[in-house]
């Protein structure tokens, strides 16, 4: 069980059990939480502590939340552990990323099927050969959400890296040649986008037996070429929020149809 | 995969190991490990014929709903499976479903249950010759969905999850007689804790090689045993072990994919609308 303070608040995210719905959207940036929560009904601020801001509201009559993870896998793993401790069982990363294929352009979205474990945190959970895989039902819901929102999407694997500047300016790193070699391998393997949290989200979710997925706005072209006016107009974070909300609605509807229990878990997490 | 539209050219050399040329197989190929199972699988196709047999690679081609489909055995293990996928993709195959037997890894699983493999643990040596170990061995989403729909149609008990792809059968079966027994046990426990549902020997390399070649791959395994089943239960299960649910579901999944691909082709190109990516 996650570390809990005497007043019942979880150590880092500072919320109590039941403060969040079972569905939680996970942006990296605390500044985006309120923007996302504005799409919920009856949204209210629940807690702010360190990089973790949490809002809870409703979507189609079901409790849903949004919690920021901060940048990187270490803080994301903490958020996932504590949110599951608070009753969440479905976690969707919503963020921005860079394109890794020439046909993927700024303004498109990436629906993530798996994460390249190019980071240190997930190794504290499972051996490196274990795949970081998104939940199939969450992935389908996000894909269908992208179709509902009418936004071009790409399904595939994300690179989850620990160093933003190692990716953006590899040549000034002492390990530059290795960074370049690995980047080329990820591209050859078909990776669609580069971000910093998905692999750990998926691995921690696997060990906790909860569902996780991710949808990323493509914010930068592969060739670092200046985006066109059209692409700039499309590179609005509202687009990926549109997809995440549409996907969440799909998931809520599918869960209802399958008879899955819809209320917030009263006693820990099912399974 | 019709040859009619292509310009006339000399008959190409057959692929080195599978002994097949372009036109010998459909774009959809089932991949059992055991060559002895190819004829059994092909008997579910229409007009099935043996096309080649070399080493552990036996290939039959027939049709399903008017579409050419094939079955090629991979032999046991990732090294021979990687060769099969490389050579089959080179002659026009672009959709692979591994079909085989495996051990159940989660308590509560039943012998005969099907595992739809969504990703694989790269506990093998072959896939590291392709991509660094951090890259996930992930099945194609459309193939996974087709397998799930097929299981719904055949009524087979099935679950979606991750398989362990190992290189040593006996290290898994009898870890304690291996010099690295503590490590084997520790890894196994971690995989189970991570939620792995079945243990087999080919999926990880098939998925990783398919990722690089930009072809689709998935896997359907029939599970035997589970950590919490008694010896008596296992013996009883062995006596009535039946491959029909596995083979029927795999063939049904091909029908689902064929129908979906036809709808997509009638729309805007070979891939479903909106899926602009390579896979």
């Amino acid at each position: 069980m996650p570390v809990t303070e005497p007043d019942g608040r979880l150590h880092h995210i500072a919320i109590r059990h039941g403060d969040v719905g079972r569905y939680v959207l996970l942006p990296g940036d605390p500044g985006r939480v309120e923007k996302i929560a504005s799409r919920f009904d009856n949204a209210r601020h629940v807690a702010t502590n360190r990089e973790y801001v949490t809002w809870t509201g409703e979507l189609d009559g079901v409790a849903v939340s949004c919690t920021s993870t901060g940048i990187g896998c270490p803080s994301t793993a903490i958020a996932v552990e504590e949110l599951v401790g608070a009753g969440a069982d479905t976690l969707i990363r919503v963020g921005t990323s860079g394109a890794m294929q020439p046909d993927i352009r700024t303004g498109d979205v990436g629906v993530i099927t798996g994460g390249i474990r190019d980071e240190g945190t997930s190794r504290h959970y499972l051996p490196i050969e274990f795949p970081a895989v998104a939940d199939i039902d969450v992935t389908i819901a996000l894909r269908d959400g992208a179709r509902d929102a009418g936004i071009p999407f790409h399904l595939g694997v994300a690179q989850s890296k620990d160093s933003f500047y190692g990716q953006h300016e590899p040549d000034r790193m002492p390990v530059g040649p290795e960074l370049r070699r690995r980047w080329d391998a990820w591209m050859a393997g078909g990776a669609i986008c580069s971000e910093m949290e998905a692999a750990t989200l998926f691995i921690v979710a696997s060990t906790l037996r909860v569902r996780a997925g991710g949808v990323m706005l493509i914010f930068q072209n592969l060739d670092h070429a200046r985006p066109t006016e059209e692409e700039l107009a499309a590179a609005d974070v509202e687009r990926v929020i549109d997809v995440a909300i549409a996907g969440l609605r799909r998931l809520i509807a599918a869960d209802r149809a399958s008879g899955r229990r819809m209320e917030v878990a009263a006693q820990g997490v099912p399974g | 995969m019709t040859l009619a539209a292509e310009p006339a050219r000399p008959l190409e050399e057959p692929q080195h190991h599978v002994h097949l040329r372009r036109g010998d197989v459909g774009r959809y190929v089932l991949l059992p490990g055991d060559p002895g199972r190819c004829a059994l699988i092909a008997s579910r196709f229409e007009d099935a014929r043996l096309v080649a047999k070399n080493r552990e690679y036996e290939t039959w081609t027939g049709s399903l709903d008017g579409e050419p489909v094939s079955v090629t055995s991979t032999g046991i293990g990732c090294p021979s499976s990687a060769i099969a996928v490389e050579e089959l993709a080179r002659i026009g195959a672009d959709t692979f479903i591994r079909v085989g037997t495996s051990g159940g890894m989660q308590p509560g699983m039943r012998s005969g249950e099907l595992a739809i493999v969504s990703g694989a643990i790269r506990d093998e040596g072959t896939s590291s010759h392709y991509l660094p170990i951090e890259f996930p061995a992930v099945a194609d989403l459309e193939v996974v969905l087709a397998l799930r729909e097929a299981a719904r149609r055949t009524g087979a008990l099935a679950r979606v999850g991750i398989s362990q792809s190992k290189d040593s059968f006996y290290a898994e079966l009898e870890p304690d007689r291996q010099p690295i027994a503590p490590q084997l046990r520790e890894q196994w426990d971690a995989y189970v804790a991570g939620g792995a549902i079945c243990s087999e020997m080919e999926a990880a390399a098939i998925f990783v090689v398919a990722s690089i070649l930009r072809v689709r791959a998935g896997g359907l395994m029939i599970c035997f045993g589970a950590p919490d089943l008694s010896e008596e239960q296992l013996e009883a299960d062995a006596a009535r072990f039946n491959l029909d649910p596995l083979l029927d579901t795999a063939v049904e999944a091909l029908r689902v994919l064929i129908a979906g691909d036809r709808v997509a082709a009638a729309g805007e190109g070979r891939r479903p609308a909106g899926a602009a990516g390579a896979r």
Side-chain angles (χ1 to χ4, degrees):
Chain A
M1 276 304 286
V3 182
T4 308
E5 300 299 317
D7 67 356
R9 288 178 190 272
L10 288 153
H11 190 53
H12 300 90
I13 63 175
I15 65 169
R16 294 186 180 84
H17 191 274
D19 279 347
V20 289
R22 50 182 294 215
Y23 303 92
V24 185
L25 297 179
L26 300 175
D29 182 354
R32 283 195 192 126
V33 176
E34 188 172 353
K35 190 191 281 269
I36 293 172
S38 72
R39 308 292 191 93
F40 301 162
D41 299 323
N42 308 316
R44 66 185 172 92
H45 173 250
V46 177
T48 295
N49 188 48
R50 298 172 177 255
E51 60 264 64
Y52 305 111
V53 173
T54 298
W55 285 63
T56 291
E58 288 166 28
L59 209 55
D60 298 333
V62 176
V64 295
S65 300
C66 180
T67 299
S68 53
T69 59
I71 291 173
C73 288
S75 58
T76 301
I78 290 169
V80 172
E81 294 267 6
E82 297 190 3
L83 284 166
V84 172
D89 72 358
T90 304
L91 305 164
I92 300 176
R93 165 147 168 67
V94 183
T96 52
S97 66
M100 291 185 72
Q101 298 293 334
D103 64 327
I104 299 180
R105 305 303 294 183
T106 295
D108 294 356
V109 300
V111 175
I112 302 180
T113 57
I116 299 169
R117 295 175 60 186
D118 197 11
E119 41 76 40
T121 306
S122 71
R123 292 169 202 243
H124 292 254
Y125 286 81
L126 280 170
I128 191 64
E129 59 272 21
F130 200 99
V133 182
D135 178 85
I136 194 94
D137 292 306
V138 175
T139 304
I140 297 163
L142 290 169
R143 178 195 68 178
D144 293 345
R147 284 185 182 146
D148 292 346
I151 292 171
F153 69 92
H154 308 263
L155 275 167
V157 168
Q159 177 211 19
S160 298
K161 61 189 179 273
D162 271 348
S163 171
F164 180 84
Y165 289 104
Q167 185 236 310
H168 282 253
E169 300 166 7
D171 293 336
R172 73 174 170 85
M173 304 303 170
V175 296
E178 185 191 344
L179 291 172
R180 286 209 168 272
R181 224 173 30 242
R182 287 163 63 88
W183 177 265
D184 290 346
W186 310 143
M187 278 183 58
I192 60 169
C193 63
S194 177
E195 56 81 64
M196 299 183 66
E197 293 83 9
T200 283
L201 166 62
F202 297 164
I203 289 290
V204 178
S206 288
T207 65
L208 297 177
R209 305 288 196 276
V210 297
R211 303 184 297 183
V215 61
M216 312 300 302
L217 179 70
I218 306 299
F219 214 68
Q220 187 174 47
N221 297 329
L222 174 66
D223 48 12
H224 290 240
R226 238 187 104 68
T228 62
E229 288 299 317
E230 194 184 17
E231 284 170 346
L232 272 180
D236 185 343
V237 80
E238 298 288 349
R239 275 167 85 87
V240 73
I241 299 174
D242 287 345
V243 175
I245 296 289
L248 193 45
R249 288 212 144 99
R250 285 269 188 174
L251 197 55
I252 289 168
D255 287 347
R256 275 199 170 120
S258 72
R260 203 179 163 105
R261 197 166 43 83
M262 297 308 291
E263 74 276 20
V264 174
Q267 294 289 331
V269 182
Chain B
M1 290 299 124
T2 56
L3 283 168
E6 294 179 11
R9 61 180 174 189
L11 197 57
E12 64 190 351
E13 285 293 304
Q15 294 294 316
H16 191 54
H17 300 89
V18 297
H19 278 200
L20 297 163
R21 292 184 180 86
R22 189 168 289 272
D24 282 342
V25 294
R27 55 182 282 216
Y28 305 90
V29 184
L30 296 179
L31 299 174
D34 182 355
R37 284 196 191 123
C38 291
L40 184 63
I41 293 171
S43 70
R44 287 161 162 83
F45 301 160
E46 287 147 43
D47 307 318
R49 64 190 170 90
L50 176 67
V51 260
K53 200 168 169 197
N54 185 50
R55 297 173 177 256
E56 60 264 64
Y57 305 109
E58 178 169 326
T59 299
W60 291 66
T61 292
S63 68
L64 280 176
D65 300 334
E67 181 75 31
V69 293
S70 301
V71 53
T72 298
S73 54
T74 59
I76 291 173
C78 288
S80 58
S81 300
I83 291 170
V85 172
E86 290 266 14
E87 296 188 0
L88 286 164
R90 219 170 278 167
I91 57 167
D94 70 1
T95 305
F96 299 95
I97 301 181
R98 158 145 172 68
V99 182
T101 53
S102 68
M105 289 180 72
Q106 291 293 324
M109 290 182 76
R110 284 192 260 159
S111 293
E113 188 170 344
L114 300 185
I116 297 168
V117 184
S118 56
I121 299 168
R122 295 174 57 185
D123 192 14
E124 39 75 43
T126 307
S127 70
S128 294
H129 291 255
Y130 288 83
L131 280 170
I133 191 67
E134 296 86 348
F135 200 99
V138 184
D140 180 86
L141 185 69
E142 298 299 331
V143 177
V144 174
L145 292 180
L147 286 165
R148 195 160 75 162
E149 169 62 16
R152 196 189 60 74
R153 291 186 189 173
T154 61
L157 179 66
R159 69 172 77 188
V160 177
I162 288 164
S163 73
Q164 176 209 20
S165 298
K166 61 187 180 275
D167 271 347
S168 170
F169 180 83
Y170 286 104
E172 188 238 310
L173 195 71
E174 302 165 355
D176 292 335
R177 72 175 171 81
Q178 315 303 335
I180 59 163
Q183 183 192 328
L184 291 169
R185 289 213 165 273
E186 208 170 272
Q187 279 179 295
W188 176 267
D189 290 347
Y191 300 151
V192 172
I197 59 174
C198 66
S199 178
E200 51 80 55
M201 299 183 66
E202 292 84 9
I206 291 172
F207 294 172
V208 167
V209 175
S211 288
I212 289 160
L213 299 177
R214 304 291 195 275
V215 295
R216 304 183 294 187
L220 184 70
M221 311 302 302
I222 191 161
C223 299
F224 182 76
D228 55 344
L229 292 183
S230 65
E231 285 298 320
E232 298 76 49
Q233 185 65 52
L234 289 176
E235 275 174 33
D237 288 347
R240 56 186 154 85
F241 201 64
N242 172 13
L243 288 176
D244 286 342
L246 171 74
L247 306 185
D248 291 345
T249 303
V251 169
E252 190 61 31
L254 289 186
R255 291 186 196 276
V256 174
L257 283 165
I258 290 166
D261 288 344
R262 282 179 177 161
V263 169
E268 45 180 298
R270 204 167 62 77
R271 294 293 176 220
R279 327 202 266 145

